[in-house]
């Protein structure tokens, strides 16, 4: 497939009289958009929805962050950006797509902690716009349209999940309409239709997502992937948003939709394609399988796809904690045993100074080429901020009651788990564990 | 955790869904359990069969603590 | 132009030219200037540094009488006012390696003087003294001396000038185990692609994360007679009485709970609940025996196949608990089991 991406970069974002884009200034009519989001789709279980804009460098923090979506629109070629959500599950990845490069739509809601499952609930997620923790996620650098939502009582998790996702996607599509018929600031074309010099090494990417039930799911062409059999996708399908995230359980261990459509490994390998390597494809699979047998099975199936692509080398990464690491390590091991060279990146543990025993929850002897995305066990102090968007309180520690605490004050968090994307599992961040 | 009990002289057996992790950590006696969310059970079985399965897992664990082992050893129990 | 870095070099009786293993009890001695491999170090460091004193001792002597000899070595080091101490290289020699490690620990501890030692990575002294001194990886035998001295010398000079070294992967010493979170130049994604590209080009790039190695603890002897044994249940699966009365954490455990199962034929659903943050607790909430198998063990107790099921079980949530904490908690749990005269324990994990 061949895809051209047209990028639009804004220099300011504010509420104003008319939703419009002019000379890099993005203006949003707050009342109009709020009304649209609350009225479209009928009873969406959303009790209130308030729009907030948070800009890079602001003395602010955003809480209750669920998924974050990129405003994008297909200009040419089949399907819609993020197919399968309020749209048909049409195969995407060809033609032309326009995208806002530095505008993000954030779905924020204090989802009810209905108290049933000890895993499946949205732990409070924090995005810092300034200060030492701001580089834990790329969204300290984007203009964020925050959908601060509260939910009506009495609905199910599945319904809340869908409600927040649809609100976010609708808002993103509304903004994206502004850039459909304009000339982009810059473009990039990814052409996987041309033959590649056979002497170039063939490289594949295995991206393993999390899908353990509602609030921890990932959507492929609009449906969650609990029974996913690993399969191959074109890098441009991912760039067109075929993977959407509904994963809110562990803030640090997640890859939001915005990043799923811009996975750094996918982008970088695609840019190198045809020049220094042959990017043969992306294998998408799901970790957290429940037994050793199932983990080995998925690992074998994923590795088998990598082998079928004729890959000489593979990059492996995963979303989720230790349980998922096992599946991914087995995948890496199977690839290595078949002669396919692997490199992977992962977060580490190690305690406060890194010297306390295990750095990795699980590994295999073949995992000799690993890149670190940083330790999640370091305490982080976040400052007092002037403004909090998305909500007013932080809800931490459900298992001991989860009482709300003020969100604007300085506090020291024991580890990085509450920070959105803090585990750097897409590899987009520059946080690393450095050994001394 | 378990190795500390062994160090204190108490033989132990672990029922777990991921024996590979237990083996690499060095747990001596490992029984392959039902699944991560149900190590001593399997909800896909009919109720009375699940209880039977649980008993067999526990029996195997008891057999394991009565067995001399030199290195991490996995004991398997069939589902049927 | 700074002043020359002052190096003190510690070696053994062999490299001091006195003799081999048979002279292992040769006494602690020293001389001004370089000796043995120190001459090679001088050649490497040029104008930047100088070996001002060389200290040596028989390997057996220093190992056997460290309480007496190390303080004497301390005096010899302090009075020569070094910027850095170099010990070895000891390659894979056991006692020499330990001696170098002891000198390393002395320097980094009481003397607060930067120190670097040269050891073969599998020398047993590495694991013991890893955190106490920078260790430069060397060949297995002295045949590697010529290849290893330049690197050792380079580190000594850098250490003497700066007081500490940069990241292990950059400066080329064995990671001591300390890790700090830093924002580096390139993203993890870029670095992993580079690492793979390097491998595909036939190279062997260094890994950023060393793999785990666990302490081997021999298995306890088996239970002799189950029919008279007291069996206990310990779980990492986070099944606690409803309301989590002791407020156990869902991850990164720092405590455990002990709860009564006196008189219970099974662990009743509703009264007990799963709080583990790493797996969907729906199934164990439905039937807590799926993670704490009271029903199966009670049945065996009634049938006389085990002596007794202990009237309480232990629980915590096993996610993210680092090794040191796991050992500490494990030891306390073991102690508790011993006090209750438990003969064997069944652990369950998720």
């Amino acid at each position: 497939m061949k895809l051209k991406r047209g990028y639009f970069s804004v220099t300011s974002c504010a509420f104003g009289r008319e939703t419009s884009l002019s000379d890099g200034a993005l203006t949003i009519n707050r009342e109009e958009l709020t009304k649209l989001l609350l009225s479209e789709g009928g009873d969406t279980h959303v009790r209130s929805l308030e729009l907030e804009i948070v800009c890079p460098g602001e003395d602010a923090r955003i809480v209750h962050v669920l998924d974050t979506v990129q405003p994008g629109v297909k200009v040419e070629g089949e399907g819609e950006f993020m197919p399968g959500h309020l749209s048909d599950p049409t195969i995407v990845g060809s033609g032309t797509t326009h995208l806002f490069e530095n505008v993000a739509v954030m779905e924020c809601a204090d989802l009810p902690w209905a108290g049933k499952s000890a895993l499946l609930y949205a732990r409070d997620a924090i995005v810092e716009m300034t200060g030492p923790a701001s580089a834990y996620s790329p969204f300290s650098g984007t203009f964020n349209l925050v959908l601060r939502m509260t939910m009506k009582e009495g609905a199910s998790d599945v319904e809340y999940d869908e409600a927040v996702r649809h609100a976010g996607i609708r808002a993103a599509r509304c903004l994206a309409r502004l850039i459909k018929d304009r000339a982009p600031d810059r473009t990039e074309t990814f052409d996987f239709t041309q033959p590649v010099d056979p002497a170039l090494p063939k490289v594949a990417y295995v991206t393993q997502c999390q899908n353990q039930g509602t609030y921890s799911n990932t959507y492929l062409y609009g449906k969650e992937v609990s029974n996913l059999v690993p399969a191959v996708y074109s890098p441009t399908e991912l760039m067109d948003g075929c993977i959407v995230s509904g994963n809110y359980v562990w803030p640090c261990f997640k890859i939001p939709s915005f990043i799923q459509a811009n996975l750094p490994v996918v982008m970088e390998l695609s840019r190198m394609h045809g020049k220094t390597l042959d990017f043969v494809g992306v294998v998408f699979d799901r970790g957290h399988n429940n037994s050793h047998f199932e983990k080995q099975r998925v690992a074998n199936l994923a590795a088998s796809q990598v082998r079928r692509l004729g890959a000489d080398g593979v990059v492996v990464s995963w979303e989720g904690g230790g349980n998922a690491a096992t599946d991914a390590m087995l995948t890496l091991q199977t690839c290595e045993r078949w002669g396919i060279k692997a490199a992977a990146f992962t977060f580490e543990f190690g305690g406060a100074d890194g010297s306390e025993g295990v750095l990795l929850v699980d590994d295999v002897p073949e995992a000799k080429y690993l890149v670190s995305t940083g330790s999640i066990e370091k305490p982080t102090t976040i400052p007092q901020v002037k403004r909090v968007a998305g909500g007013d309180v932080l809800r931490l520690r459900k298992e001991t009651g989860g009482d709300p605490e003020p969100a604007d004050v300085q506090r020291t968090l024991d580890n990085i788990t509450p920070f959105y994307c803090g585990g750097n599992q897409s590899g987009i961040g520059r946080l690393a564990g450095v050994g001394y | 955790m378990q190795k500390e009990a062994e160090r204190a002289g108490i033989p132990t057996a672990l029922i777990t869904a991921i024996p590979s992790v237990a083996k690499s950590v060095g747990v001596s006696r490992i029984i392959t359990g039902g699944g991560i969310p149900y190590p001593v059970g399997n909800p896909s079985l009919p109720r009375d069969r699940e209880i039977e399965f649980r008993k067999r897992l526990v029996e195997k664990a008891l057999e394991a603590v009565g067995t001399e082992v030199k290195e991490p050893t996995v004991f398997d129990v069939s589902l049927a | 132009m700074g002043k020359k870095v002052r190096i003190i070099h510690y070696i053994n009786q062999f490299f001091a030219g006195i003799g081999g293993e048979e002279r292992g009890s040769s006494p602690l001695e020293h001389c001004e200037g370089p000796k043995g491999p120190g001459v090679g170090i001088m050649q490497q460091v040029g104008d930047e540094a100088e070996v001002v004193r060389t200290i040596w001792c028989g390997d057996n002597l220093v190992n056997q009488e460290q309480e007496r000899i190390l303080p004497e070595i301390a005096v010899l080091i302090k009075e020569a006012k070094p910027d850095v101490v170099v010990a070895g290289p000891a390659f894979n020699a056991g006692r020499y390696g330990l001696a170098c490690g002891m000198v390393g620990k002395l320097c980094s501890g009481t003397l607060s003087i930067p120190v670097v030692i040269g050891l073969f990575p599998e020398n047993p002294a590495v694991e013991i003294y890893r955190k106490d001194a920078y260790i430069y990886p060397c060949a297995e035998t002295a045949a590697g001396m010529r290849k290893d001295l330049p690197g050792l010398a380079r580190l000594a000079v850098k250490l003497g000038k700066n007081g500490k070294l940069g990241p292990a992967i950059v400066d080329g010493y064995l990671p001591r185990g300390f890790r700090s979170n830093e924002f580096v130049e390139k993203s993890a994604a870029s670095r992993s692609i580079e690492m793979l590209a390097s491998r595909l080009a036939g190279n062997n790039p260094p890994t950023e994360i060393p793999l785990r190695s666990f302490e081997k603890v021999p298995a306890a002897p088996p239970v002799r007679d189950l029919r008279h044994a007291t069996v206990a249940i310990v779980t990492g699966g986070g099944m606690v009485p409803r309301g989590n009365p002791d407020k156990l954490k869902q991850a990164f455990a720092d405590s455990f709970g002990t709860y009564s199962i006196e008189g219970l034929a099974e662990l009743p659903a509703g009264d007990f609940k799963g709080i583990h943050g790493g797996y969907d607790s729906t199934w164990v909430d439905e039937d807590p025996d799926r993670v704490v198998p009271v029903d199966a063990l009670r049945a065996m107790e009634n049938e006389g196949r085990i002596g007794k099921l202990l009237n309480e079980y232990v629980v915590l949530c096993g996610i993210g608990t680092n090794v040191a904490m796991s050992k500490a908690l494990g030891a306390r749990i073991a102690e508790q089991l011993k006090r209750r005269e438990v003969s064997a324990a069944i652990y369950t994990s998720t």
Side-chain angles (χ1 to χ4, degrees):
Chain A
M1 294 208 229
K2 180 174 170 183
L3 177 72
K4 181 159 94 167
R5 285 181 129 204
Y7 299 109
F8 294 77
S9 187
V10 310
T11 51
S12 70
C13 180
F15 292 120
R17 232 167 9 116
E18 196 194 315
T19 300
S20 57
L21 176 65
S22 170
D23 286 324
L26 175 62
T27 309
I28 299 173
N29 180 319
R30 195 182 206 168
E31 293 72 44
E32 209 171 69
L33 183 55
T34 307
K35 212 165 129 202
L36 184 111
L37 295 175
L38 285 173
S39 68
E40 263 190 17
D43 183 4
T44 64
H45 311 290
V46 176
R47 186 176 62 204
S48 72
L49 187 151
E50 210 186 296
L51 295 177
E52 300 175 282
I53 294 175
V54 185
C55 299
E58 262 201 70
D59 184 5
R61 116 180 352 126
I62 312 175
V63 299
H64 302 340
V65 189
L66 302 171
D67 190 32
T68 301
V69 168
Q70 182 176 29
V73 61
K74 284 206 72 65
V75 173
E76 271 169 341
E78 291 193 321
E80 270 214 62
F81 183 70
M82 293 186 288
H85 299 273
L86 301 166
S87 60
D88 292 330
T90 309
I91 302 299
V92 291
S94 53
T96 305
T97 305
H98 283 182
L99 305 145
F100 272 109
E101 208 168 13
N102 62 349
V103 175
V105 173
M106 285 187 168
E107 302 151 15
C108 297
D110 192 0
L111 290 179
W113 280 2
K116 288 191 295 314
S117 169
L119 164 65
L120 299 174
Y121 66 96
R123 287 166 187 70
D124 217 328
I126 305 169
V127 171
E128 292 288 294
M129 295 305 289
T130 52
S134 60
Y136 285 159
S137 93
F139 303 111
S140 52
T142 51
F143 290 86
N144 301 315
L145 176 65
V146 171
L147 272 50
R148 179 198 280 235
M149 295 178 271
T150 62
M151 314 306 289
K152 291 184 193 163
E153 300 204 343
S156 68
D157 292 345
V158 171
E159 290 167 300
Y160 291 135
D161 175 45
E162 196 176 77
V164 302
R165 179 166 45 263
H166 285 178
I169 290 179
R170 286 197 171 100
R173 285 188 175 145
C174 184
L175 296 182
R177 281 200 281 274
L178 293 171
I179 54 176
K180 183 163 187 184
D181 297 316
R182 288 179 178 237
D185 299 328
R186 64 181 189 96
T187 64
E188 249 191 315
T189 300
F190 300 99
D191 192 347
F192 291 93
T193 62
Q194 300 305 307
V196 174
D197 179 359
L200 293 178
K202 296 179 170 48
V203 175
Y205 177 38
V206 176
T207 173
Q208 179 185 285
C209 74
Q210 181 162 7
N211 196 102
Q212 290 181 280
T214 308
Y215 293 164
S216 74
N217 283 343
T218 305
Y219 297 81
L220 173 70
Y221 283 101
K223 185 153 162 45
E224 54 79 37
V225 296
S226 48
N227 282 315
L228 180 70
V229 173
V232 177
Y233 298 87
S234 168
T236 58
E237 288 179 80
L238 271 70
M239 291 184 207
D240 263 352
C242 73
I243 302 176
V244 164
S245 176
N247 184 3
Y248 326 130
V249 288
W250 284 102
C252 60
F253 298 144
K254 57 168 289 100
I255 302 179
S257 302
F258 194 122
I259 300 182
Q260 293 283 11
N262 296 278
L263 287 172
V265 174
V266 171
M267 300 313 296
E268 207 168 305
L269 288 177
S270 298
R271 288 172 188 135
M272 294 162 81
H273 176 74
K275 303 182 182 104
T276 53
L277 50 83
D278 181 354
F279 183 18
V280 290
V282 181
V283 174
F284 176 58
D285 71 351
R286 180 221 141 197
H288 300 94
N289 290 287
N290 276 340
S291 67
H292 184 75
F293 176 85
E294 288 170 274
K295 285 176 178 323
Q296 188 67 67
R297 178 177 175 274
V298 164
N300 294 343
L301 289 168
S304 180
Q305 294 298 316
V306 171
R307 183 168 62 174
R308 185 166 296 144
L309 290 169
D312 300 302
V314 63
V315 176
V316 180
S317 68
W318 57 94
E319 188 185 20
N323 188 347
T326 305
D327 306 55
M329 284 290 173
L330 291 173
T331 306
L332 184 153
Q333 179 180 60
T334 311
C335 287
E336 286 279 352
R337 285 183 178 168
W338 287 344
I340 302 166
K341 295 183 160 63
F345 52 88
T346 171
F347 66 89
E348 355 170 329
F349 287 108
D353 72 358
S355 72
E356 287 169 50
V358 271
L359 295 172
L360 298 174
V361 171
D362 196 15
D363 59 41
V364 292
E366 292 83 354
K368 294 196 291 231
Y369 302 93
L370 296 178
V371 161
S372 166
T373 62
S375 166
I376 55 154
E377 274 195 319
K378 305 290 189 193
T380 304
T381 301
I382 54 178
Q384 167 99 30
V385 291
K386 246 197 236 154
R387 183 186 165 210
V388 179
D392 298 311
V393 297
L394 276 176
R395 297 181 71 192
L396 308 165
R397 285 176 293 277
K398 175 196 188 207
E399 71 280 15
T400 53
D403 296 320
E405 302 176 46
D408 59 336
V409 299
Q410 175 180 303
R411 71 175 63 241
T412 299
L413 293 156
D414 292 337
N415 54 58
I416 293 183
T417 55
F419 291 99
Y420 202 63
C421 306
N424 192 12
Q425 295 199 293
S426 68
I428 205 169
R430 294 180 300 112
L431 187 67
V434 180
Y436 287 88
Chain B
M1 261 195 347
Q2 207 168 331
K3 278 151 71 175
E4 291 308 309
E6 300 279 341
R7 209 200 291 275
I10 302 174
T12 68
L14 175 70
I15 303 178
T16 172
I18 325 182
S20 63
V21 173
K23 217 170 166 187
S24 60
V25 165
V27 174
S28 304
R29 302 173 176 89
I30 306 162
I31 285 81
T32 309
I36 290 176
Y38 33 83
V40 206
N42 190 323
S44 63
L45 291 171
R47 182 80 187 140
D48 56 329
R49 299 292 307 286
E50 187 187 6
I51 295 183
E52 258 307 298
F53 177 55
R54 172 150 60 243
K55 279 209 182 128
R56 284 208 307 281
L57 284 172
V58 170
E59 264 166 13
K60 192 57 98 170
L62 292 173
E63 182 192 309
V65 293
T67 309
E68 170 102 43
V69 295
K70 289 258 180 309
E71 41 166 36
T73 310
V74 179
F75 298 76
D76 276 317
V77 171
S78 68
L79 197 57
Chain C
M1 212 29 239
K3 63 177 183 60
K4 277 191 184 185
V5 168
R6 294 172 63 82
I7 300 174
I8 289 188
H9 189 199
Y10 176 87
I11 55 179
N12 73 352
Q13 78 280 5
F14 174 77
F15 289 99
I18 294 173
E21 283 209 18
E22 76 287 358
R23 301 303 302 274
S25 300
S26 77
L28 177 66
E29 293 182 294
H30 70 281
C31 69
E32 302 314 298
K35 196 176 180 56
V39 173
I41 291 179
M42 286 290 287
Q43 283 165 351
Q44 292 296 320
V45 300
D47 287 332
E48 291 195 277
E50 56 181 335
V51 176
V52 297
R53 175 174 282 190
T54 306
I55 302 170
W56 64 92
C57 187
D59 290 331
N60 293 348
L61 190 64
V62 67
N63 270 282
Q64 279 154 5
E65 297 188 36
Q66 29 177 304
E67 297 81 40
R68 176 174 73 81
I69 301 207
L70 289 176
E72 291 179 27
I73 294 177
V75 168
L76 288 174
I77 290 175
K78 264 199 303 212
E79 70 187 16
K81 298 192 190 359
D83 296 307
V84 63
V85 171
V86 176
F91 306 105
N92 202 16
R95 274 159 287 154
Y96 184 19
L98 289 171
C100 289
M102 280 184 243
V103 170
K105 190 166 178 171
L106 179 71
C107 291
S108 62
T110 45
L111 297 181
S112 289
I113 296 174
V115 56
V116 57
I117 51 188
L119 292 172
F120 178 60
E122 286 169 42
N123 188 320
V126 168
E127 277 320 301
I128 303 171
Y129 293 104
R130 190 175 206 115
K131 286 192 192 179
D132 298 309
Y134 288 108
I135 301 175
Y136 180 70
C138 295
E140 200 171 350
T141 69
M145 180 73 82
R146 267 184 66 171
K147 193 172 72 68
D148 291 330
L149 269 190
L152 183 59
R154 175 182 51 84
L155 280 191
V157 172
K158 188 167 182 189
L159 193 51
K161 284 187 183 167
N162 302 339
K164 60 181 184 169
L165 296 177
I169 216 176
V170 168
D171 279 342
Y173 59 90
L174 295 183
R176 295 171 302 162
F178 303 114
R179 293 180 76 81
S180 95
N181 271 3
E182 296 175 17
F183 289 101
V184 299
E185 202 190 307
K186 296 190 184 161
S187 73
S190 297
R191 296 190 330 267
S192 63
I193 291 173
E194 252 173 39
M195 188 178 273
L196 182 62
S198 178
R199 289 194 70 194
L200 291 171
N203 303 318
N204 193 12
T207 186
E208 293 185 6
I209 311 181
L211 299 183
R212 308 162 308 162
S213 61
F214 288 99
E215 187 198 358
K216 289 189 184 3
V217 175
V223 172
R224 288 205 181 289
D225 185 3
L226 275 175
R227 289 167 307 166
H228 294 107
T230 299
V231 179
I233 302 172
V234 177
T235 182
M239 177 56 65
V240 299
R242 188 182 45 213
N244 192 12
D246 295 312
K247 300 204 178 318
L248 296 187
K249 290 159 76 168
Q250 62 170 290
F252 302 109
D254 54 17
S255 66
F256 60 90
T258 307
Y259 302 110
S260 170
I261 47 177
E262 183 80 53
L264 292 178
E266 55 161 24
L267 212 56
D271 290 346
F272 289 85
K273 230 198 126 342
I275 58 156
H276 189 288
Y279 71 94
D280 184 355
S281 61
T282 308
W283 289 283
V284 300
D285 286 342
E286 197 175 78
D287 181 2
D289 297 274
R290 282 174 176 146
V291 68
V292 181
V294 174
D295 59 356
L297 282 165
R298 188 68 74 197
M300 278 173 207
E301 188 186 45
N302 292 337
E303 288 163 32
R305 291 165 68 188
I306 59 172
K308 195 165 87 115
L309 169 62
L310 187 67
N311 60 358
E312 58 191 26
Y313 77 96
V314 169
V315 52
L316 52 75
C317 297
I319 335 169
T321 333
N322 65 51
V323 170
M325 179 60 77
S326 302
K327 277 170 94 157
L329 293 173
R332 281 168 46 205
I333 294 170
E335 214 185 343
Q336 185 170 297
L337 294 176
K338 274 210 104 70
R339 278 201 304 269
R340 307 271 190 278
E341 296 179 356
V342 166
S343 335
I346 295 184
Y347 282 63
T348 68
S349 89
T350 57

